[in-house]
């Protein structure tokens, strides 16, 4: 439940962080009406104060995350939310995400990559805010909008760009493409084309973490899994089924909803009976938090708490990040349905600009430093393109590799030998 | 070993060659082995791992053979003692042994834990291994199958049970997109060593939705293997092989076969996932079958033998991929093929098998391939109608007679 619990009463009104300022020192208002309106909506959001949630069953188990954040803020008054190092790391990661995606668009229109490419411009705060808090052994599961999740998790830009170009040096040997980014080394478990498909996989990764600790007795295994998905997915059965299972078994997972208000051309409000997704967490017995997804520092605060909860074995959290994609759903989407006023509203809240302002205003970094980072990232992205361009395309012989982990699965041929022993297999010219 | 033998004056069993348990872990690409038949008897004792190289000259012996049918009760060959059990117990034994052997093996499904499984395949396992290793899931097939896949990607080896195979239709998304394809789309980075298993097939008046055969729906999915067990021996062997395999394997069990009794060896053994099983060698016609239809075929074989026919019966066991070696050798010998299956006619395993045989062995065929499948009808509840949708022994006899004209 996202409300801050008062001593006597349970409030049904959600606690929304003020979206307009990056580092707000205002004390949060308990019963305030939400200050962010979803612009471009066909109807105004109204909170129903009439519905009272029966929280008596869950009163012990639900933690009001925002309550903890509030306490932290009130104790240390003019303390900053990040150090200089952290700030530069966050800045660099977001700029990498933005520059990479912009380059993807360029490359797509130049005919270097094909198919469905979904860009992440505008949502960088969510990826950076969450993933930069993870360890290497923690897992991330994403959707088709996965380039920036891959970059934040540590997959080299070269590997991602090569994969997009369909070259054999790509992170998935060119076999996955834009929507299927995987990395065993960095524990990026995909990249899924169908929405909702990755959430059970993430639940499984979290299950393994719990299994390792409790059955295999690896006592220090505290790996956390993050599942990223969008607003459209929150109407899908797999979402609800996994919220149930994760809460039931207290799995170390955080469900991160990147609510950018639009599926392809379907507005979230036209598709959802109750558009406040964070409210669906408490229905399954986990906290539901709403956070301003255009503000990387706020996202990071919430993420810290949610990931901490999971690591300590206290169970899952549902975090709804209100964010926005500056481009269309994919590069094939003309993006004609969205109201220009809505786009302008969110463009004014560009997360990179906001962080830059925060860093400069709080004397954590100077213009020159930030410009140097911009330049460095430009070089990284250029290098990635060059590398991808120069990489070879997959040879024919790669066709039949990786279909089966154990290639005996192709069966026994008429001559009595396993078909994978046939030299045509290694050449890729055999027909399966 | 299966106690399937024929021959007047029981032959000495084939020598206990080390390869009767085809350990796929040791010999990765070992070629098929063949045994020579003892010259004293006309037919060899056949072990159910089915490696027999019959006298290539062929014998057209018209003697009546009394024991043409697989005898299921414990008449084991003298060399091994073994123990007798029912098919569901064999599955349970296989599963338990693998769980002992590897702590990463776990089970997930509805009612597998405290209830012991709807067909008792996981009975007692939760008590022994705990609630996390034998996980009772909520009723959410798509999600817990996906959860099993995610667990497999991160190091575990789940056995996912569909309470009835038909329920796995709800998991089709995960089985097709993730189970089958993930190894490929990740460029080989992640393996999915899951076993998806459950009872399917037409039972006794269970109604249309509980009588489905999903092998035809799953067979096109690239990247998975499908096997069907039919005897306690191969049930345990296939279960173990499937769990040890790095590939995702779908193990089809049949609702009506869980109470079959057989004597199986005490020692550790597995059945090769890609091999077919020679049930009854013969000369006149090759009958290819799997799962429950094997028993209808063997029943028909009794009648056929009395009428003077000598059918060769092969339980194909591996539904995907087909064992083209065993099947091919048989076709080359008999030149006539009859496929008997419980799958639906359209797009079923029989249809694929017909295509595969025609493609590879067309020159060896003396007659068009006949395929007896279930009717393309939702299985009716009424017993009389249900009987007619499934292939019965009488039809098999008629088909063989037609084929051998």
């Amino acid at each position: 439940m996202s409300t801050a619990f008062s001593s006597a009463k349970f409030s049904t009104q959600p606690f929304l962080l003020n979206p307009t300022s990056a580092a707000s020192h205002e004390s949060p208002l308990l019963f305030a009406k939400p200050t962010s309106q979803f612009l471009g909506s066909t109807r105004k959001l109204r909170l129903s104060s009439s519905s009272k949630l029966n929280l008596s069953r869950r009163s012990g188990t639900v933690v009001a995350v925002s309550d903890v954040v509030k306490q932290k803020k009130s104790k240390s008054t003019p303390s900053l939310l990040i150090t200089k190092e952290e700030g530069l790391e966050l800045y660099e990661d977001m700029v990498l995400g933005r520059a990479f995606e912009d380059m993807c668009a360029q490359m797509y229109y130049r005919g270097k990559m094909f198919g469905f490419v979904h860009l992440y411009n505008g949502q960088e705060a969510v990826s950076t805010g969450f993933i930069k808090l993870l360890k290497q052994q923690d897992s991330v599961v994403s959707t088709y909008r996965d380039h920036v999740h891959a970059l934040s998790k540590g997959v080299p830009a070269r590997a991602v760009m090569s994969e997009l170009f369909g070259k054999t040096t790509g992170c998935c040997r060119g076999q996955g493409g834009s929507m299927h980014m995987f990395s065993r080394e960095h524990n990026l478990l995909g990249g899924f084309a169908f929405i909702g498909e990755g959430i059970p996989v993430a639940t499984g990764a979290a299950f393994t973490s719990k299994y390792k600790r409790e059955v295999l007795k690896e006592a220090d295994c505290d790996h956390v899994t993050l599942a990223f998905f969008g607003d459209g997915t929150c109407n899908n059965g797999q979402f609800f089924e996994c919220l149930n299972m994760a809460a039931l078994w207290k799995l170390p997972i955080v469900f991160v909803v990147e609510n950018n208000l639009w599926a392809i051309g379907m507005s979230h409000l036209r598709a959802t009976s109750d558009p406040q997704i964070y409210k669906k967490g408490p229905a399954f017995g986990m906290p539901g938090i709403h956070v301003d997804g255009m503000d990387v520092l706020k996202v990071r605060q919430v993420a810290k708490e949610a990931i901490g909860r999971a690591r300590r074995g206290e169970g899952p959290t549902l975090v709804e990040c209100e964010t926005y994609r500056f481009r269309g759903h994919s590069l094939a989407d003309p993006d004609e349905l969205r109201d220009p006023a809505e786009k302008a509203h969110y463009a004014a809240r560009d997360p990179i600009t906001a962080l830059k302002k925060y860093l400069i205003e709080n004397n954590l970094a100077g213009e020159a430093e930030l410009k140097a980072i911009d330049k460095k990232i430009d070089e990284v992205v250029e290098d990635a393109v060059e590398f991808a361009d120069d990489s070879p395309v997959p040879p024919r012989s790669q066709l039949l590799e990786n279909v089966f982990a154990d290639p005996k699965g192709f069966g026994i041929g008429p001559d009595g030998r396993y078909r994978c022993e046939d030299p045509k297999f290694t050449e890729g010219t055999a027909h399966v | 070993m299966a106690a399937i033998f024929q021959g007047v004056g029981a032959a000495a069993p084939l020598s206990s060659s080390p390869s009767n348990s085809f350990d796929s872990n040791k010999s990765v690409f070992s070629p098929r082995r063949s045994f020579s038949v003892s010259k004293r008897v006309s037919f060899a004792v056949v072990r159910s791992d089915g490696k027999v190289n019959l006298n290539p000259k062929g014998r057209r012996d018209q003697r009546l053979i009394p024991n043409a049918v697989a005898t299921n009760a414990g008449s084991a060959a003298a060399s091994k003692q073994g123990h007798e059990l029912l098919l569901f117990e064999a599955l349970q034994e296989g599963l338990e042994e693998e769980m002992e052997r590897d702590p990463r093996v776990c089970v997930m499904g509805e009612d597998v834990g405290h209830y012991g499984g709807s067909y008792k395949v996981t009975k007692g396992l939760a008590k022994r291994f705990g609630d996390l290793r034998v996980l009772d899931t909520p009723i959410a097939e798509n999600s817990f199958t996906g959860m099993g896949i995610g667990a497999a990607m991160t190091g575990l080896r789940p056995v996912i049970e569909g309470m009835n195979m038909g329920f796995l239709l709800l998991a089709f998304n995960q089985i097709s997109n993730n189970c089958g394809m993930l190894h490929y789309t990740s460029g080989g980075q992640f393996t999915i060593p899951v076993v998806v298993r459950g009872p399917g097939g037409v039972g006794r008046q269970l109604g249309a939705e509980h009588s489905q055969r999903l092998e035809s729906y799953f067979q096109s999915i690239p990247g998975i293997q499908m096997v069907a067990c039919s005897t306690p021996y191969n049930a345990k062997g296939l279960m173990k092989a499937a769990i040890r395999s790095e590939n995702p394997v779908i193990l089809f069990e049949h609702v009506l076969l869980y109470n079959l009794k057989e004597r199986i060896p005490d020692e550790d053994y597995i059945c090769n996932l890609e091999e077919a099983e020679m049930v009854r060698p013969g000369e006149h016609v090759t009958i290819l079958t799997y799962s429950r239809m094997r028993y209808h075929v063997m029943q028909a074989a009794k009648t056929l033998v009395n009428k003077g026919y000598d059918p060769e019966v092969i339980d194909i066991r591996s539904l995907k991929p087909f064992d083209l070696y065993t099947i091919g050798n048989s076709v080359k010998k008999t030149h006539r093929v009859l496929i008997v299956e419980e799958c639906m006619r359209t797009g079923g395993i029989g249809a694929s098998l017909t295509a595969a045989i025609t493609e590879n062995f067309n020159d060896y065929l003396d007659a068009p391939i006949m395929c007896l499948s279930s009717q393309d009808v939702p299985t009716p509840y009424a017993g009389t109608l249900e009987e007619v949708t499934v292939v019965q022994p009488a039809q098999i006899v008629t088909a063989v007679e037609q084929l051998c004209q």
Side-chain angles (χ1 to χ4, degrees):
Chain A
M1 184 65 180
S2 66
T3 58
F5 285 88
S6 61
S7 52
K9 288 198 330 197
F10 293 130
S11 170
T12 58
Q13 305 216 353
F15 171 62
L16 296 173
L17 292 168
N18 189 329
T20 50
S21 67
S24 163
H25 294 297
E26 295 168 82
S27 58
L29 302 168
L30 280 180
F31 299 107
K33 267 180 28 194
T35 45
S36 68
Q37 297 279 10
F38 288 124
L39 283 188
S41 63
T42 50
R43 60 180 175 87
K44 288 248 194 290
L45 267 186
R46 294 248 184 278
L47 288 176
S48 60
S49 46
S50 53
S51 64
K52 286 203 187 326
L53 288 170
N54 177 9
L55 296 169
S56 51
R57 277 173 290 144
R58 299 260 168 243
S59 54
T61 56
V62 177
V63 170
V65 169
S66 45
D67 203 8
V68 180
V69 174
K70 178 187 77 165
Q71 278 167 13
K72 266 194 211 153
K73 277 196 202 164
S74 55
K75 271 185 208 157
S76 43
T77 0
S79 82
L80 297 168
L81 294 166
I82 44 168
T83 63
K84 171 178 180 149
E85 237 171 44
E86 288 170 350
L88 291 179
E89 189 195 1
L90 298 179
Y91 182 78
E92 184 169 332
D93 193 53
M94 290 206 288
V95 170
L96 174 61
R98 181 69 60 86
F100 190 92
E101 297 291 70
D102 282 338
M103 184 60 81
C104 280
Q106 252 193 66
M107 292 297 115
Y108 189 84
Y109 294 126
R110 281 199 211 163
K112 299 280 187 71
M113 62 176 83
F114 303 93
F116 292 128
V117 179
H118 308 82
L119 299 181
Y120 201 73
N121 298 49
Q123 300 180 199
E124 294 87 0
V126 181
S127 176
T128 302
F130 268 94
I131 300 181
K132 282 305 170 194
L133 291 171
L134 295 180
K135 303 188 290 202
Q136 174 129 2
Q137 305 94 327
D138 294 324
S139 302
V140 166
V141 175
S142 180
T143 58
Y144 44 73
R145 207 177 294 281
D146 55 356
H147 306 169
V148 179
H149 293 140
L151 295 170
S152 290
K153 192 67 175 60
V155 182
R158 281 183 163 194
V160 181
M161 192 60 86
S162 289
E163 182 64 31
L164 293 169
F165 281 28
K167 301 293 178 81
T168 193
T169 47
C171 54
C172 301
R173 309 180 79 198
Q175 290 166 191
S178 166
M179 298 184 281
H180 303 282
M181 293 289 167
F182 289 84
S183 169
R184 186 170 200 107
E185 188 192 333
H186 301 279
N187 287 301
L188 174 66
L189 304 178
F192 293 95
F194 288 19
I195 59 149
E197 219 174 30
I199 308 179
V201 172
T203 311
F207 178 79
T208 302
S209 175
K210 185 180 165 91
Y211 189 97
K212 279 188 178 154
R213 195 173 43 241
E214 296 182 15
V215 176
L216 301 179
K217 307 290 183 214
E218 294 172 21
D220 52 352
C221 179
D222 61 353
H223 305 329
V224 166
T225 307
L226 298 185
F228 290 93
F229 48 92
D231 43 284
T233 309
C234 295
N235 294 325
N236 189 278
Q238 286 168 104
F239 169 65
F240 298 109
E241 290 172 1
C242 290
L243 284 186
N244 179 40
M245 294 198 289
L248 185 62
W249 299 315
K250 285 224 168 107
L251 299 181
I253 184 173
V254 182
F255 296 102
V256 184
V257 183
E258 296 172 318
N259 183 353
N260 57 22
L261 298 180
W262 292 85
I264 300 182
M266 186 65 160
S267 147
H268 175 58
L269 300 167
R270 287 183 69 218
T272 317
S273 56
D274 185 349
Q276 293 171 302
I277 300 170
Y278 66 90
K279 274 163 123 189
K280 300 180 186 180
F284 291 92
M286 70 179 82
I289 318 294
H290 177 281
V291 70
D292 175 8
M294 304 306 277
D295 183 332
V296 67
L297 299 176
K298 290 199 179 116
V299 172
R300 193 178 153 90
Q301 287 294 92
V302 169
K304 243 187 225 170
E305 192 51 45
I307 293 172
R309 246 179 72 85
R311 260 198 231 295
R312 292 187 297 268
E314 293 167 23
T317 315
L318 176 67
V319 181
E320 178 186 354
C321 304
E322 182 193 331
T323 181
Y324 202 75
R325 52 169 167 82
F326 294 157
R327 289 182 180 266
H329 164 76
S330 72
L331 288 173
D333 173 19
D335 194 16
E336 292 160 346
L337 270 181
R338 300 192 297 174
D339 185 2
E342 180 188 82
K343 294 191 209 178
H345 170 86
Y346 283 98
R349 291 162 57 183
D350 187 326
I352 296 178
T353 324
L355 180 65
K356 188 166 178 178
K357 185 158 170 263
Y358 180 85
L359 291 173
I360 292 177
E361 278 179 359
N362 290 287
N363 293 318
L364 288 172
E367 274 274 1
E369 252 176 312
L370 299 178
K371 276 225 158 53
I373 293 181
D374 288 345
K375 184 158 181 293
K376 174 179 160 203
I377 292 299
D378 277 339
E379 285 170 12
V380 165
V381 174
E382 286 281 349
D383 168 75
V385 172
E386 228 180 275
F387 176 79
D389 260 333
D390 293 339
S391 292
V393 286
R396 179 83 191 251
S397 55
Q398 198 180 304
L399 179 65
L400 301 174
E401 299 170 11
N402 309 138
V403 178
F404 287 105
D406 178 0
K408 283 196 291 172
F410 282 115
I412 300 170
D415 59 357
R417 290 185 311 163
Y418 274 97
R419 298 185 67 202
C420 51
E421 294 173 18
D422 179 348
K424 290 219 194 104
F425 256 76
T426 34
E427 287 162 29
T429 49
H431 269 277
V432 293
Chain B
M1 65 202 91
I4 305 162
F5 59 1
Q6 63 235 5
V8 177
L14 291 168
S15 59
S16 46
S17 145
S19 72
N20 60 2
S21 46
F22 199 86
D23 190 350
S24 59
N25 285 335
K26 277 192 284 193
S27 51
V28 178
F29 301 139
S30 66
R32 303 290 304 275
R33 316 226 187 117
S34 55
F35 303 139
S36 59
V37 169
S38 150
K39 294 198 178 66
R40 297 251 235 95
V41 296
S42 52
F43 294 98
V45 170
V46 181
R47 309 180 128 269
S48 54
D49 55 6
K51 291 216 234 4
V52 167
N53 184 13
L54 296 177
N55 189 339
K57 293 206 206 80
R59 295 199 44 149
R60 304 208 166 267
D61 204 307
Q62 302 299 319
R63 272 180 295 170
L64 287 179
I65 317 296
N67 302 328
V69 185
T71 45
N72 284 326
S75 38
S79 58
K80 299 273 182 265
Q81 259 304 30
H83 55 285
E84 216 174 51
L85 41 52
L86 305 179
L87 195 144
F88 77 87
E89 290 170 340
L91 287 167
Q92 186 198 22
E93 222 176 67
L95 187 47
E96 196 165 354
E97 283 174 21
E98 289 304 302
M99 288 179 81
E100 262 173 47
R101 183 175 173 268
D102 187 345
R104 298 169 301 163
V105 179
C106 56
V107 184
M108 356 183 133
E110 294 157 13
D111 276 330
V112 295
H114 295 189
Y115 194 73
S118 51
Y119 289 92
K120 301 291 171 244
V121 172
T122 49
K123 188 169 168 194
L125 296 183
K127 275 213 181 68
R128 187 165 167 208
F129 296 109
D131 279 348
L132 206 57
R133 266 191 98 176
V134 187
L135 187 72
D136 276 324
T137 61
I139 307 174
E141 277 80 8
N142 202 13
S143 293
F144 71 69
T145 304
M147 194 174 93
I149 293 167
M153 286 168 76
T154 42
L156 301 185
R157 304 185 77 91
V159 176
I160 301 167
E161 173 172 314
M163 188 186 269
N164 183 287
M165 263 291 171
F167 302 167
L168 292 179
L169 286 174
L170 291 153
F172 208 111
N173 177 15
Q174 291 291 341
I175 293 176
S176 169
N177 283 334
N178 289 343
C179 223
M181 301 201 204
L182 227 148
H183 184 72
Y184 195 80
T185 50
S186 67
Q189 291 182 81
F190 291 100
T191 54
I192 326 278
V194 296
V195 178
V196 178
R197 51 159 290 269
V202 177
R204 297 253 178 268
Q205 300 189 245
L206 299 178
E209 294 182 20
H210 280 83
S211 310
Q212 299 193 66
R213 288 125 280 165
L214 298 198
E215 47 268 24
S216 53
Y217 307 155
F218 288 138
Q219 65 174 323
S220 294
I221 302 174
I224 53 148
Q225 284 186 251
M226 305 200 305
V227 287
C229 63
S230 49
T231 65
Y233 179 81
N234 66 33
K236 180 175 175 185
L238 289 173
M239 171 72 94
K240 292 173 73 112
I243 293 176
R244 293 186 195 182
S245 170
E246 293 302 314
N247 297 333
V249 179
I250 305 185
L251 171 58
F252 290 92
E253 303 154 14
H254 197 287
V255 281
L256 292 181
L257 298 184
Y258 280 122
N259 289 322
L260 280 181
K261 194 189 279 204
E262 190 182 0
R263 183 169 289 268
I264 64 170
D266 289 325
E267 76 272 12
D268 197 48
Y269 71 92
I270 59 170
C271 289
N272 199 341
L273 289 174
E274 296 90 25
E275 281 178 20
E277 185 179 317
M278 177 69 72
V279 182
R280 179 193 188 282
E283 302 287 331
H284 291 162
V285 61
T286 299
I287 306 183
L288 301 172
T289 182
Y290 65 92
S291 193
R292 181 185 167 219
M293 285 298 115
R294 168 189 174 136
Y295 296 95
H296 280 206
V297 167
M298 292 314 287
Q299 211 180 321
K302 258 200 237 171
T303 317
L304 285 168
V305 156
N306 287 335
K307 290 190 174 191
Y309 294 94
D310 186 19
E312 176 154 295
V313 180
I314 295 176
D315 182 340
I316 60 174
R317 249 172 35 187
S318 174
L319 305 180
K320 179 179 177 41
F322 295 131
D323 178 359
L324 292 176
Y325 182 64
T326 310
I327 295 172
N329 283 352
S330 181
V331 174
K332 289 177 189 171
K333 185 170 56 161
T334 66
H335 312 297
R336 291 179 165 79
V337 179
L338 169 67
I339 301 171
V340 180
E341 57 162 3
E342 203 175 309
C343 223
M344 259 84 80
R345 164 162 306 283
T346 306
I349 298 290
S352 296
L353 197 47
T354 307
I357 297 175
T358 314
E359 239 173 59
N360 287 292
F361 308 115
N362 194 35
D363 288 340
Y364 296 97
L365 290 171
D366 281 349
I369 303 173
M370 272 191 86
C371 182
L372 296 177
S373 329
S374 295
Q375 312 248 22
D376 277 348
V377 167
T379 312
Y381 165 72
T384 45
L385 291 179
E386 183 185 67
E387 218 177 282
V388 177
T389 57
V390 176
V391 178
Q392 298 297 338
Q395 291 167 266
I396 303 173
V397 172
T398 317
V400 169
E401 289 175 338
Q402 246 184 313
L403 206 47
C404 289
Q405 267 165 8

